[in-house]
Amino acid sequence: MSLKVSRRFFARLLGGSAAALSLSGLGALSGSVAEASALATPAHHPAKTDRSFPPGFLWGSATAAYQVEGAAHADGRGPSIWDTFSHTPGKVNNGDTGDVADDFYHLYAADIAMMKDLGLKTFRFSVSWTRIFPTGTGAANPKGFDFYNRMIDKLLHAGIQPYCTLYHWDLPQPLQEKGGWENRDTAKAFADYAGYTAGKLADRVHHFITTNEIRTFVEAGNQAGTHAPGLQLDQKRIAQLTHHAVLGHGLAVQAIRAHTPAHTQVGIAENPFAAVPVVESRPHIAAARKAMREENAQYLTVIEEGRYTDLYLKRLGKDAPKFTAEDLKIISSPMDFVGLNVYTPVYVRADDSEKGYALVPNPASYPTMASPWLYIGPDALYWAPRLTTELWKVKEIYITENGASSSDTVAPDGHIYDTDRLMYLRNYMKQLQRAVAEGIPVKGYFLWSLLDNFEWADGYSKRFGITYVDFKTQKRTPKLSAAFYKQVIEENRVV
Ligand code: NOJ
């Protein structure tokens, strides 16, 4: 298995061998163009500080249990809704399942060595609920912790800080049979599991993330039916289910705090509707701020403000969720940080409507990455943290996910030249740097993902890794983007 990122490969691609990369075509430029570009960039070496991040900025990568672990039946793990869904014919592309995935459950040590080689400062993983409580509630499975304990110890030994997500969509199947997130008891069961698990890990893990992308598991899983559990609920039922999900988050914040030392940091990873002003002018920026609040009303907004917006409740009318004042207090339990998963911008313009903004549709020619939903828009990584800070004055932000799918292939020389992913990452990171340089409190960035993995309903057909995985042999090969990321981390700046 070639787990080492080849240094010569980096050197060649990142300027170590300047000769090889020297712009041999430049001599052919007309005098005036060459002179002009020489004037614009006199030394051809922009100041090191240009794109740099503050010392201690946490560069990481992220994965999730069902997407990488495999070992679906090992050591007493019970079934989750994703086991059921992926084993239901027609639900996942090519009939793929997470039964084996990246076999991270067994290969974690080599993968952590690879993380160390990349220079990662931190690693975000999720715990599989049904490894700890095979049926979701009841007696814990002591063996369930063994893998996480070994993995966390390895991370710490490699100098990599663990960030632990407690729910990345793999609801225990028996809880789905009792109504899943439609059942208010699920929120309570989640908090019990989250508190118990955090309590067991908190001697070594200091950052916990309650839920990952409530928006996605609500809307794709329960409304569109394209993700597990594959339901298509109506508006009223979705509103109530969403309420239970944010309540589950709030109860989990409280349970984690109750079971862990005072220094433990608790937050969430949400994929906000990432409003980007279509033009950076005052009215459009104000419109984007309104859209960020309104379009996230039932997710981040209620979590941050402890109230549903008037427009959200008005829009739903008789379908609005039932809730109490106490619920809202729980949902808005104070967090230490907010995690933002940012992939795609939604352009917004000022408008005279009641909302004060309008969404700007993209034309068919708008560029995407390999996933058709993944519109490329680097500015999202500036505006999402900026608007989050302006709206809610959050203490700390992490970019808990950002990355891209690419139609990677192995070139005849054995390398994977994912130039499109590299272009994507570099441009998004420049916008993140802009945010940080303006004082927006982003403390770290988790690239999705370390490895190609089980991309939910797309199965293994969409690759998000900076490391190529041959799913037949489990061989890992770092891609060009891994070389790029290693250099970013080493220099603490966008290269
Ligand atoms: C967000 C999800 O959290 C993650 O599981 C998924 O693989 C990536 N987006 C890419 O779609």
Side-chain angles (χ1 to χ4, degrees), residues 16 24 74 86 103 109-110 113 128 176 187 190 194 199 240 248 277 299 301 306 309 384 424 434 444 449 455:
S24 50
S86 65
D103 201 16
S128 156
Q176 186 59 44
F190 171 57
Q240 197 61 48
Y299 306 114
T301 305
T309 64
Y424 175 104
R434 178 183 170 206
S449 184
E455 176 57 12

Side-chain angles (χ1 to χ4, degrees), residues 67 168-169 212-213 341 343 373 401 448 455-456 464:
Q67 295 181 270
H168 204 121
W169 306 353
N212 178 75
E213 297 197 359
N341 293 0
Y343 289 89
W373 55 267
E401 283 184 32
W448 186 275
E455 176 57 12
W456 307 113
F464 273 83

Side-chain angles (χ1 to χ4, degrees), residues 465-494:
I466 54 171
T467 308
Y468 187 89
V469 177
D470 178 334
F471 292 105
K472 288 202 188 81
T473 61
Q474 292 296 343
K475 179 181 172 203
R476 274 73 159 143
T477 309
K479 304 175 191 176
L480 173 61
S481 55
F484 161 77
Y485 196 37
K486 182 181 166 94
Q487 195 77 16
V488 168
I489 298 172
E490 208 167 289
E491 296 194 24
N492 201 25
R493 61 190 283 272
V494 188

Side-chain angles (χ1 to χ4, degrees), residues 22-256:
S22 77
L23 307 173
S24 50
L26 264 190
L29 286 178
S30 78
S32 59
V33 175
E35 276 158 28
S37 63
L39 280 177
T41 52
H44 289 278
H45 287 295
K48 279 261 175 195
T49 50
D50 265 358
R51 299 176 185 173
S52 59
F53 283 78
F57 189 80
L58 274 188
W59 295 104
S61 75
T63 61
Y66 191 70
Q67 295 181 270
V68 299
E69 284 178 5
H73 308 291
D75 301 323
R77 177 183 177 275
S80 82
I81 54 173
W82 269 98
D83 296 281
T84 310
F85 189 76
S86 65
H87 281 272
T88 307
K91 297 295 185 192
V92 173
N93 180 62
N94 193 40
D96 292 343
T97 74
D99 286 0
V100 179
D102 292 322
D103 201 16
F104 183 69
Y105 196 80
H106 297 110
L107 301 178
Y108 70 92
D111 287 339
I112 291 172
M114 195 166 65
M115 294 180 209
K116 189 173 179 191
D117 191 49
L118 271 169
L120 292 191
K121 313 278 180 232
T122 175
F123 176 61
R124 175 181 168 225
F125 64 94
S126 82
V127 172
S128 156
W129 184 341
T130 56
R131 289 199 194 282
I132 309 300
F133 291 98
T135 59
T137 54
N141 167 29
K143 279 186 152 184
F145 279 109
D146 292 353
F147 163 66
Y148 297 107
N149 282 331
R150 286 195 302 270
M151 198 252 293
I152 289 164
D153 289 345
K154 260 277 180 279
L155 285 172
L156 293 173
H157 189 70
I160 299 170
Q161 286 188 49
Y163 274 55
C164 172
T165 309
L166 290 151
Y167 185 71
H168 204 121
W169 306 353
D170 41 2
L171 188 73
Q173 181 61 32
L175 296 189
Q176 186 59 44
E177 275 145 33
K178 292 184 191 143
W181 288 102
E182 275 201 277
N183 184 344
R184 199 179 156 99
D185 292 347
T186 295
K188 174 79 176 58
F190 171 57
D192 289 347
Y193 143 74
Y196 179 81
T197 304
K200 295 274 185 214
L201 303 179
D203 56 335
R204 288 151 300 147
V205 178
H206 301 144
H207 293 82
F208 290 95
I209 291 162
T210 55
T211 46
N212 178 75
E213 297 197 359
I214 295 178
R215 178 191 289 277
T216 308
F217 73 77
V218 166
E219 295 180 9
N222 292 280
Q223 191 169 31
T226 51
H227 278 193
L231 301 177
Q232 293 182 314
L233 303 179
D234 62 27
Q235 172 168 274
K236 187 178 171 63
R237 290 172 69 179
I238 279 293
Q240 197 61 48
L241 179 151
T242 308
H243 180 71
H244 295 155
V246 290
L247 182 67
H249 152 79
L251 287 169
V253 171
Q254 298 188 351
I256 295 168

